[in-house]
Amino acid sequence: MIRQCFALLLLLATLPALAESRIHEFKLDNGLKIVVQEDHRSPVVVSQVWYRAGSVDEFNGTTGVAHVLEHMMFKGTRKVPSGEFSRIVAAAGGRENAFTSRDYTVYFQQLEKSRLELSFRLEADRMVNLNFSDADFAKEIQVVMEERRWRTEDKPQAQVGEQMMSAVFASHPYRHPVIGWMNDLEHMTAKDAREWYRRWYAPNNATLVVVGDVDPKQVYRLAKKYFGPLKAQKLPPRKPQQEPDQKGERRLVVKAPAKLPYVALAYQAPSLRGVDDWEPYALEILAGVLDGHAASRLNRDLVRRDRIAVEVSAGYDAVNRGPALFEFDVTPSEGYTVEDVEVAIRGQIEQLKEEGISEEELQRVKAQVIAADVYQRDSMFYQAMQIGMLESTPGLSWRMLDSFTQRLHAVTAEQVREVARKYLVDDRLTVAVLDPQPIDENAPKPKEIRSDRH
């Protein structure tokens, strides 16, 4: 989710609706946590079930199984046959979907507020009663493999990103793609998916987030009715997965059919681990200085003034179960090379380290970071996303939302320069370059395979 996630957290922290008086937390005896946020602006409710299980938890040889299981969750239970889940929600006038990330898997519905009970009934059922056949799995794994071809193997920049993650992380499971390596998908079995389901899908490994025009006490009563009877289970222990210190700059070249070259730079950086952790806030401001708005330094200098880049971006995502990255993506203009734009990026970094930023620029960037994507403050879905993301990350909580603005405003110009000097250094850097190859116009197009999962 996701370079903008932290910026969204900061934005949403400014809203009165996020005051603790409007957010209510409950917990069932089986360990299911329930977080309810009231938002009475329209008669709509968003319901999300967050499982603390993502690709970071996968075993070697089964990469992609978390995402595959997400697909299988639409294959039905004894009460709800395959394909009926989505039909039932649509018939109720709602919409639903799911996504898998490195850190968690999320299932969600948006419905008219009186239909919240339907969402709970369906989600509680498939939390423990999922029932898919080997034939269902054999069909759906083909869908997932085609999805991998379409999203990664046929997208040159996606190939660069995938290969870069494998180089950035020597041992941490973030090095594996969420969708999985093709070889693992080709050899995956229905048993692998069922074992993943039995291992992680339980009420005591989930958070139910509800945002909308609801009465929190009524939400709790409905959750207790449908999720309360489900039994907790013993969860596998999670061992620390610390990435070894990087010992020097890493480089790789990816050759793929493409029209333009492209370069990505990734610096290893810390994730947010608590409310008193100031460095992630300074890194977010640093990202805003470089690429937080139309007049930011990279766009101003590389795209508009020097015209050596067609596109350039910088981003930092603080909320992760594992390590974070501070990243740059650049597409050089015609007549310029990836070497030219890399030198330009490095020049911007060194200038910031040496000269820092003025107080005027600092205050302007702070205001712009908070105001970024301001239209999303009206989205119940994104409000639920921020709560779920924090609740699914060890050491964090939705209660931190009120402190984000304060912590952001506390960042000083010297702290911004300090994190640049500390983290944007060669010993933390991985550079991935796309070397464009001729495009075969006669190459077969990916075929469409129908799936219950959309």
Side-chain angles (χ1 to χ4, degrees):
M1 266 161 75
I2 288 197
R3 291 182 174 176
Q4 296 299 322
C5 283
F6 193 62
L8 283 169
L9 283 170
L10 295 166
L11 167 65
L12 294 172
T14 68
L15 303 181
L18 286 182
E20 287 198 19
S21 61
R22 303 293 295 276
I23 300 182
H24 307 261
E25 180 181 312
F26 308 95
K27 196 166 189 178
L28 301 183
D29 292 342
N30 58 17
L32 177 70
K33 180 180 284 190
I34 305 158
V35 183
V36 183
Q37 179 178 323
E38 297 177 70
D39 188 330
H40 301 290
R41 291 171 295 171
S42 62
V44 175
V45 62
V46 172
S47 177
Q48 299 178 347
V49 176
W50 292 67
Y51 291 96
R52 289 179 290 277
S55 63
V56 71
D57 301 296
E58 293 169 346
F59 299 137
N60 189 38
T62 61
T63 62
V65 69
H67 175 248
V68 170
L69 195 276
E70 176 212 313
H71 278 243
M72 302 314 299
M73 285 285 280
F74 290 83
K75 293 303 178 181
T77 66
R78 293 178 183 87
K79 296 180 181 179
V80 182
S82 180
E84 284 295 292
F85 189 104
S86 298
R87 187 196 65 77
I88 292 170
V89 174
R95 60 185 182 89
E96 47 73 49
N97 217 317
F99 66 88
T100 306
S101 79
R102 299 178 302 184
D103 298 328
Y104 35 72
T105 308
V106 186
Y107 302 85
F108 56 87
Q109 296 82 43
Q110 180 167 315
L111 295 152
E112 196 276 330
K113 66 177 183 178
S114 66
R115 307 312 301 268
L116 179 62
E117 185 170 3
L118 171 65
S119 171
F120 283 11
R121 175 170 62 81
L122 293 170
E123 286 292 3
D125 183 30
R126 68 176 174 178
M127 181 178 281
V128 296
N129 296 319
L130 184 62
N131 182 34
F132 60 86
S133 66
D134 288 358
D136 282 335
F137 179 86
K139 174 186 175 182
E140 201 65 25
I141 195 67
Q142 294 299 319
V143 173
V144 174
M145 286 191 285
E146 196 60 36
E147 182 182 346
R148 178 184 162 78
R149 294 186 188 99
W150 178 70
R151 289 187 174 182
T152 303
E153 297 180 4
D154 292 332
K155 299 286 195 303
Q157 291 190 8
Q159 292 182 48
V160 172
E162 184 176 85
Q163 293 296 317
M164 185 176 72
M165 292 296 286
S166 294
V168 169
F169 298 110
S171 68
H172 196 278
Y174 277 3
R175 71 191 316 271
H176 301 298
V178 172
I179 200 167
W181 298 110
M182 185 62 85
N183 183 66
D184 287 348
L185 296 176
E186 291 170 344
H187 293 88
M188 194 170 292
T189 66
K191 181 182 177 182
D192 294 325
R194 293 188 184 108
E195 287 180 350
W196 181 265
Y197 176 70
R198 288 192 292 267
R199 184 179 299 120
W200 296 116
Y201 279 54
N204 52 316
N205 194 44
T207 299
L208 172 63
V209 180
V210 177
V211 176
D213 187 14
V214 294
D215 174 0
K217 293 182 179 179
Q218 177 63 14
V219 172
Y220 171 70
R221 287 192 289 269
L222 284 175
K224 190 173 182 179
K225 175 182 177 181
Y226 289 101
F227 293 95
L230 310 183
K231 294 182 180 179
Q233 69 181 43
K234 185 177 180 181
L235 300 171
R238 285 184 165 105
K239 296 182 179 180
Q241 301 184 83
Q242 188 72 33
E243 173 69 14
D245 291 339
Q246 188 170 333
K247 301 298 184 182
E249 182 181 305
R250 300 168 183 169
R251 287 186 170 269
L252 67 147
V253 175
V254 176
K255 294 184 177 182
K259 294 181 179 179
L260 296 171
Y262 165 82
V263 61
L265 296 83
Y267 294 87
Q268 291 194 22
S271 297
L272 184 64
R273 287 293 175 257
V275 69
D276 295 326
D277 191 4
W278 68 268
E279 288 186 332
Y281 297 91
L283 285 164
E284 181 62 25
I285 293 296
L286 175 60
V289 169
L290 294 168
D291 181 36
H293 52 95
S296 60
R297 294 188 179 196
L298 295 182
N299 187 63
R300 180 194 67 197
D301 296 348
L302 275 64
V303 177
R304 299 208 314 270
R305 186 192 68 191
D306 300 335
R307 298 184 179 182
I308 68 172
V310 177
E311 293 180 327
V312 59
S313 65
Y316 167 69
D317 179 15
V319 183
N320 305 276
R321 283 169 55 188
L325 296 176
F326 196 105
E327 300 178 78
F328 297 87
D329 301 274
V330 196
T331 300
S333 300
E334 186 176 355
Y336 292 91
T337 67
V338 291
E339 290 80 11
D340 294 330
V341 292
E342 181 184 341
V343 169
I345 290 286
R346 287 173 174 269
Q348 291 283 329
I349 293 171
E350 292 307 312
Q351 180 181 358
L352 197 149
K353 289 179 182 179
E354 293 176 9
E355 301 176 5
I357 61 175
S358 68
E359 188 63 28
E360 179 184 358
E361 183 178 15
L362 176 65
Q363 296 306 320
R364 184 173 65 251
V365 169
K366 285 180 179 179
Q368 289 160 341
V369 168
I370 294 173
D373 301 311
V374 68
Y375 68 92
Q376 292 189 101
R377 70 177 62 197
D378 289 327
S379 169
M380 294 181 185
F381 181 82
Y382 275 92
Q383 292 176 44
M385 281 286 294
Q386 307 320 309
I387 293 172
M389 185 168 59
L390 287 172
E391 285 295 326
S392 301
T393 305
L396 307 185
S397 163
W398 63 264
R399 290 179 174 82
M400 296 176 64
L401 286 169
D402 282 344
S403 69
F404 276 122
T405 301
Q406 178 184 357
R407 299 295 299 175
L408 179 66
H409 281 303
V411 173
T412 67
E414 184 55 36
Q415 286 177 327
V416 174
R417 183 160 69 165
E418 184 177 339
V419 293
R421 288 174 169 175
K422 182 176 181 180
Y423 294 110
L424 303 191
V425 296
D426 287 353
D427 283 350
R428 290 179 170 270
L429 174 63
T430 299
V431 180
V433 172
L434 171 63
D435 181 3
Q437 304 297 300
I439 298 175
D440 182 1
E441 300 295 344
N442 298 317
K445 304 297 182 183
K447 60 182 178 179
E448 180 181 357
I449 302 180
R450 293 185 60 82
S451 170
D452 296 326
R453 163 73 172 85
H454 31 267

